[in-house]
Every structure is written in C-alpha cells, then in structure tokens.
C-alpha cells in the first residue's frame, strides 16, 4: 500500500490540510477559512472535513493525521491547554476528537515543531538527521531534530530557541518574562525596536518606514548596518549555544525576516564562525528555509513518520 499522511496547519484565520506521501512530497492542499466564531465544534468539524477533502479518493490510504497549531499543548495527550488564536478553548482534547471524527490515528504538536519537521523531512534539511530551525517572525520560534527525531522534551517545551538569553546586561524584557532573549533582538519586533530606540537617542537614518524588511534593504544606512550587526550577532550567539549542544548538520533560518536572504545570512555566517568552536562549526551550514508556508502541513503529516514513537 502507498501510505498517505494528512497534515493540518490550524491557524486563527485559516485551516490548511496537506496530503503527503511517505517521502514528504506534498500531493494536494486544501485550505478553508477558520470558522469565524472559532467555537470548538465548528473548528473540529472544519478540520475533519479539510482532511478528507485534501485526501480525496486516497482517503482509505491515509495512515494518520497530524495537527500543528500555536499554543500551550499537552503534546503526548493531544490536548490544547490554551491557544491565543482560540481564546474560548480550554483543555480541548483535539487529538481524540479528530480521531473520533475521522477514524484515523492523530498526533498533535506545536507550530514551531511541525515547521522544523517539515523542513527536515522535505525541505532545507532533507537527507540530514540533525537539524535546527530558527523561525524569525513577530517572535523567534525554533525546533530541533536530533538523530532523525523531533526533540520534544518532558513536557513538549524543548526547542524554545527564541528564549535563549544572549544579552545578560541591559537586555530588553521578553514576552516570556525573562530579559535579553534572542527574540527581543532577532525578531521583526526586536529589529523595529532597536531602530526606534536608536532614533529616539538621536541616531540619523534614511529609512522612510521602520520595518525589518526595510532595515535589511537599506544598503547605505549606518544605523541599519549597526542594527543588522546587532541582530546577526545575537542570532549567531543563540545558534552557537544550540550548536554546541546538538551538533547539527543544518541550521535553517525561516520566517518573514529570513526573506532578507544574503543581507541576513552572510553576516550571520561570519558571526557564527567567530562564536563557535571549530569542531562544531565545521560540518554545519546555515541555510534558508525552503518550504515557506507549506512547512507546517508537511511537518504535521510527518509526525507519523518522525515524531513520537
Ligand atoms: Zn524570552
């Protein structure tokens, strides 16, 4: 039998279902809007329906469904404790509910973990067993694949790479309650903050609008150059910290900020080389993510191949 897996990316605005084969190739995608009231039953019904629609005629070949979503999850039990996208949900047993509606085994994981799994299975980490992903968006997310398997930790909190502390003095307050996390610097929010603070202190800039994208595009702006140096220094420091722990083959950079491409990656590689012992540095490449917004559905499907045993 040609087994198939369905992965579902459950977001506040859309529910995206993808059908994958055993190699991680994405065969079909079906996306629907998240039911506007975001009530439990409506969303669960929409998820089950999206899974069946994505699989179409191959539904009988589907060996499992994976769900990925942001929030505080009990991963082993498949329970959503709390999710900012679904404020009414408290302790929803989403895994059991979708299994009941579909009669398929269901695995659940958070959005950052399924993204790294997608990249490792089918994207920039394909063919490697030791892969770390940093997702640079509004915040900084992350995930770790070691020995070909997702590292979840005792309570599913492993891979919270955005909260590696990189500034021990004068660090900014992070959403997690700590100071100086890499998320406070290398996220889109952090980059904008750095520019705004410098302007408030009298720094001159040619920027017309302060966005992460504009900062990386400004080639002749001394303030932007300084901010880029600070961002890549902080991110390289976090990468060095995780690299000496898990000795990865690929450090993948995804998320909206990563669209800056070489303007981000080149100084990042230089800073990483300065901060990492040679024996760890050699054999690891810093590369851009490849899958974009499909990493979530592919990785969710991959939970049945690379996730919890
Ligand atoms: Zn933090």
């Amino acid at each position: 039998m040609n087994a198939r897996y369905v992965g579902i990316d459950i977001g506040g605005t859309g529910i995206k279902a993808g059908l994958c084969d055993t190699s991680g190739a994405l065969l079909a995608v079906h996306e629907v809007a998240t039911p506007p009231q975001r009530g439990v039953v409506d969303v669960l019904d929409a998820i089950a329906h999206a899974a069946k629609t994505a699989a179409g005629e191959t539904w009988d070949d589907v060996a499992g469904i994976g769900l990925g979503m942001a929030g505080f999850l009990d991963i082993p039990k498949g329970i959503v404790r709390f999710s900012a996208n679904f404020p009414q949900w408290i302790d929803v047993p989403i895994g059991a509910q979708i299994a009941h509606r579909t009669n398929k085994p269901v695995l659940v994981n958070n959005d950052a973990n399924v993204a790294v799994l997608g990249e490792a299975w089918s994207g920039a980490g394909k063919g490697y067993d030791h892969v770390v992903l940093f997702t640079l968006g509004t915040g900084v997310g992350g995930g770790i694949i070691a020995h070909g398997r997702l590292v979840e930790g005792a309570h599913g909190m492993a891979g919270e790479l955005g909260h590696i502390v990189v500034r021990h003095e004068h660090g900014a307050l992070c959403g997690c309650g700590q100071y100086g996390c890499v998320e406070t610097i290398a996220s889109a929010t952090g980059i904008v903050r750095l520019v705004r603070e410098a302007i408030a202190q009298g720094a001159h800039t040619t920027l017309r609008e302060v966005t992460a994208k504009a900062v990386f595009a400004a080639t002749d702006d001394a303030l932007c150059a300084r901010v880029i140096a600070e961002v890549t220094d902080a991110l390289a420091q976090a990468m060095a910290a995780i690299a000496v722990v898990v000795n990865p083959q690929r450090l993948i950079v995804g998320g909206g900020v990563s669209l800056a491409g070489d303007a981000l990656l080149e100084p990042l590689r230089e800073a990483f080389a300065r901060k990492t012992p040679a024996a760890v540095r050699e054999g690891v490449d810093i590369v851009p993510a490849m899958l974009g917004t499909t990493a979530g559905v592919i990785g969710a499907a991959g939970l049945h191949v690379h996730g919890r045993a």
Side-chain angles (χ1 to χ4, degrees), residues 67 69 71-81 94-95 106-111 113-114 150-158 160 303 307-308:
L67 309 177
M69 65 186 292
F72 177 40
L73 314 177
D74 183 329
I75 292 171
K77 292 186 178 148
I79 294 173
V80 182
R81 295 293 181 205
I94 190 170
V106 176
L107 292 171
V108 181
N109 218 305
N110 69 54
D111 53 342
N113 280 345
V114 298
L150 191 57
V151 176
E152 296 176 345
H155 305 289
M157 298 304 289
E160 292 287 333
L303 288 169
R308 181 167 292 274

Side-chain angles (χ1 to χ4, degrees), residues 140 160-165 172-184:
V140 173
E160 292 287 333
L161 305 179
H163 304 291
I164 295 176
V165 173
L173 177 62
C174 182
C176 74
Q178 304 293 316
Y179 289 84
C181 297
V182 66
E183 173 167 300
T184 65

Side-chain angles (χ1 to χ4, degrees), residues 216 228-229 232-233 235-236 253 258 260-274 286-288:
F216 281 101
I228 291 169
T232 52
D233 179 277
L235 188 54
V253 187
S258 75
D262 285 346
L264 167 71
L265 293 177
E266 285 183 4
L268 180 60
R269 290 182 184 118
E270 278 171 33
F272 179 75
R274 283 199 308 276
I286 298 175
V287 296

